[in-house]
């Protein structure tokens, strides 16, 4: 009688997926393992930290790889329990070729890769995707969907803002190329070079590695810096209004439901 | 019988202009050509990229120039099909002297200029205007108009914010000129010089090429840096409120229309 | 019969003040003179610009001083026409001791000072106050008052935000003083020194003249930099909401007035 | 008859705590002492200021320590007057082990510490907590609670934003590690090192101490800098909407109360 076990495994691994409820104990364990494995992958790129601990690191990575492999096999095995038409093989195939299934497989391969290629630490960052996959459940999912909805509802505004941003970058780069290319050929000698300065200025990051020095260049740069305020204000305004609108719609729906309810009982 | 052809050409070139619908195939082709030509113009200013490809570049530019010329002539020719009073010559003259017509001509001239003056790469950026011209159609137009409306509705607030910004720049520059002109005559030796620092600080860009070093200068600069938060918060707040207001008005109009409709059917 | 002249002078100089209407021709002339005089005062601090033109500059400044003096005398003389109780002397005294009257006098004195002390260019920036005085009329006044109202309505929130900002600056400075004072005694050797870094980081200006170099200092600085987002987001949110609220109140008042009107005519 | 005195002391020290009213005279005195003591503690870390005044400083610190000790003893003594069940000892124990009581004790200990360890100036910053404790009364409390409520109501959104920020930092650091680690091993030689750059760029602080120099690194950095706008826009939008919502709810409650009142009187 292997079925009850498979059912329990299925619930533990996919429970949250089907019921939009809380994470199961297994889910929480997986989240913890992923977070630790990402932290290890990040830290293992720092030579001063791993010096002398190279063997330990390889062992830890093998452990993570095996864990993700076991989980992947368990998911493929237990997915047969998923309600719906089709045989176990069809369900497994559907899962293995789904977006989530491919991410899972990619994580397993990326985790076991260090055996083959030892410097593939960047690949291990892919494990983050597993985390993103799990974040779509529970209450975070609601907040995430709300943010995504607020942004996507105003996608034309966002797109126009992006186009205006692009235009402003191009105009800023051209102006500074015109004003500074002779004095600073290294930094402003061509429009693509001046674009680096333009992006860093318009986003108000302002590293200061490349800075106009001529009077004309500084006058241009002043206007470009001032328009960076608009570049931050407009998308913020759009997103704030979209959120505000979403909350209001929420409330007026509640209100309408309450009113209908009241009328019904009068 | 050349008329059916001219009609088809007219529709392909001006279709979106008169019907506020989608871009025609010709429009899409023109957009693609403009984007490529702008990218080529931008990249051709970089010496390390064009070295050795100078002849190819000239040929590409000639091709773009001819394309824009052909399009311009086709537009002038087919504009006679535009509905409305007046003869073909009158319509052509009206188009040629309209804002769009002048931009079109400027783009053609700027594109064919490299034959005459080879270093006129900045002029070719003018082609962007053609793109802006085409962006006013379709759904982007709505978003663009909405943003422009939200900003222009609050234009007095925006103007007051600009005046306050100007005042703050002047006060900041005067304060730092007073505090730092003796220690750093190169950077703060006059109010116009200190204005460069003031703009870069108040917009939170903060290059760091010019920085106060005296205790008094740093105390002034701290207050100025803190007021940069207000300088970002106030316009953002105004624009966010304007967008929010716009969306709400939209909804309450819908609501009012729905209510009127319901009453009518009771 | 000097009265009609005095009346006309009074209207030209104080018209906008009493009727909240447009600026009179004299007002516009005064605005232009002030703007030019401020620009001249700003530019005259730049040694490379005034070299050789020193005599011209003194003459220009004398002209401005005389103009402001004439205007001040004309205001004192014509204020006797102001409607209201009291004799001409009482009205003149009331004006001369009012806030506007004192600013006017300060501008006159600051403008005529160069005769006495030639390097008093900073004093001349005081003329800006005259501009601020004139900005309180017309439609700008409405926008300005609206902004001031939106901010002052939420003054407790603004105050709490300021207190939180102060607390964050102190905590940030203490943390970095603790982490970096030994490695960089010049920049982080005391809490007041570290506060310069804290302000520049929390406001996202980020000059880069003082930067943490130890691992611990950088970890602290990362959290401080991330909390700078909250420092910008919270006041912006408060101000955006205050504006939004103001606009809504406006509309609901209009709505209420309309409804009352409709009911009345049913 | 020591009771009336104890009652008066209780009211002076805890008055605002129990009645949510204004600060008592004693409270105001305590606030002033705390502010001065924090300023002294901050300034006393600056060697150029305290040189030669070391003895004075120790005396001032002793005075502060004694003041805080006296206040603490007075609070423990007078808390017996607090209304409610239980004897004086029980009330004192409850206060001494409460959050506020522990902060008070910590401030006393931190203030008297300089006798024992003279370099414990950082500890004295703990006095700020007393200020925070007093800020929860009166009208500031309302504003503070409103801000906290607006933020906590949208805590899932804030959490998702934090998670996205974390993800963006990790992706940005990995991208730049990949692009720049060979050219700038000191700054981008590992993902943890590149994270310093990523945080400073994404928060738009942009010190410029670490800057990408390769073409690929700059292209990545440009996209990361542009996404810093979203990183500021999204939390600002969420908070603005939460505030806006709070104000609206306030008004609609007032409105509802008014309507109910009107109906009642019809």
């Amino acid at each position: 009688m292997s079925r009850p076990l498979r059912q329990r495994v299925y619930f533990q691994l996919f429970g949250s997926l089907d019921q939009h409820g809380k994470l199961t104990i297994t889910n929480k364990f997986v989240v913890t393992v992923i977070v630790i494995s990402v932290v290890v992958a990040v830290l293992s790129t720092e030579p001063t930290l791993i010096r002398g601990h190279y063997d330990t690191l390889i062992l830890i990575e093998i452990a993570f790889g095996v864990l993700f492999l076991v989980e992947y096999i368990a998911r493929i095995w237990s997915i047969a329990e998923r309600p719906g038409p089709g045989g176990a093989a069809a369900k497994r195939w559907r899962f293995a070729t789904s977006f989530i299934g491919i991410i899972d497989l990619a994580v397993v391969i990326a985790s076991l890769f260090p055996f083959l290629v030892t410097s593939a630490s960047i690949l291990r960052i892919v494990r983050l995707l597993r985390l993103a996959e799990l974040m779509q459940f529970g209450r975070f999912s609601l907040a995430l969907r709300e943010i995504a909805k607020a942004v996507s509802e105003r996608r034309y505004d966002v797109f126009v803002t992006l186009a205006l941003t692009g235009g402003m970058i191009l105009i800023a780069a051209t102006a500074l190329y015109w004003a500074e290319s002779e004095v600073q050929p290294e930094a402003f000698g061509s429009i693509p070079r001046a674009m680096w300065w333009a992006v860093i200025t318009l986003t108000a990051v302002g590293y200061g590695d490349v800075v106009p020095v001529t009077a004309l260049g500084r006058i241009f740069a002043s206007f470009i810096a001032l328009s960076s305020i608009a570049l931050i204000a407009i998308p913020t305004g759009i997103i704030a209004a979209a959120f505000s609108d979403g909350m209001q719609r929420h409330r007026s729906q509640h209100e309408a439901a309450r009113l209908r309810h009241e009328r019904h009982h009068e």
Side-chain angles (χ1 to χ4, degrees), chain A:
Chain A
M1 270 181 77
S2 85
R3 260 198 105 191
L5 173 68
R6 206 167 74 178
Q7 260 179 356
R8 263 180 293 137
V9 169
Y10 174 75
F11 176 76
Q12 283 295 324
L13 289 170
F14 292 97
S16 62
L17 226 148
D18 290 335
Q19 307 179 352
H20 281 278
K22 291 181 182 174
L23 297 175
T24 62
I25 296 166
T26 317
N27 284 152
K28 282 176 186 166
F29 176 72
V30 170
V31 167
T32 315
V33 169
I34 294 167
V35 168
I36 294 171
S37 76
V38 169
V39 170
V40 168
V42 164
L43 293 178
S44 70
T45 61
E46 174 61 48
T48 61
L49 284 175
I50 59 164
R51 202 175 296 141
H53 306 287
Y54 196 74
D55 294 345
T56 327
L57 210 77
I58 286 288
L59 279 172
I60 292 171
E61 285 297 336
I62 292 174
F64 285 133
V66 170
L67 264 171
F68 290 127
L69 183 64
V70 167
E71 195 219 3
Y72 183 69
I73 292 168
R75 290 190 117 186
I76 288 284
W77 174 61
S78 69
I79 194 75
E81 293 293 328
R82 168 161 288 178
K91 282 171 181 169
R92 275 167 190 151
W93 178 248
R94 227 182 302 138
F95 173 74
T97 56
S98 72
F99 186 62
I100 289 176
I102 288 165
I103 288 176
D104 281 16
L105 188 62
V107 168
V108 169
I109 292 169
S111 297
L112 290 172
F113 221 65
F115 296 114
L116 316 169
V117 184
T118 45
S119 66
S121 52
I122 288 175
L123 263 178
R124 285 176 225 148
I125 305 293
V126 172
R127 289 162 183 165
L128 266 186
L129 286 174
R130 277 301 308 275
L131 220 56
E133 181 197 318
L134 280 158
M135 243 183 81
Q136 62 187 285
F137 309 120
R139 270 179 280 191
F140 293 108
S141 151
L142 267 169
L144 193 65
R145 237 175 293 158
E146 219 173 293
I147 292 173
K149 206 183 136 206
V151 173
S152 87
E153 241 170 28
R154 316 297 303 169
R155 64 185 168 287
Y156 290 108
D157 299 278
V158 169
F159 212 90
V160 167
T161 311
L162 282 178
L164 290 177
T165 307
M168 274 166 75
I169 291 170
L170 204 51
I171 291 163
T174 308
L176 266 282
Y177 163 63
W178 187 61
E180 298 268 332
S181 63
E182 280 182 30
V183 188
Q184 299 190 74
E186 195 57 48
F188 295 102
S190 71
I191 296 178
R193 283 170 194 222
M195 280 174 109
W196 167 244
W197 171 86
V199 169
I200 295 307
T201 299
L202 280 168
T203 56
V205 170
Y207 287 132
D209 57 336
V210 189
V211 164
V213 292
T214 64
L216 191 68
R218 287 189 169 181
I219 289 167
F220 283 167
S222 294
F223 284 105
I224 292 159
L226 285 169
S227 54
S228 81
I229 292 176
L231 202 68
I232 294 167
I234 290 174
T236 306
I238 292 168
I239 287 169
F243 272 104
S244 211
D245 199 55
M247 288 190 202
Q248 215 150 77
R249 221 165 358 177
H250 230 247
R251 203 188 10 268
S252 64
Q253 278 167 9
H254 269 264
E255 200 76 354
R258 207 176 48 76
L259 278 173
R260 239 176 293 128
H261 188 79
E262 271 179 20
R263 258 192 226 162
H264 197 259
H265 285 75
E266 261 178 306

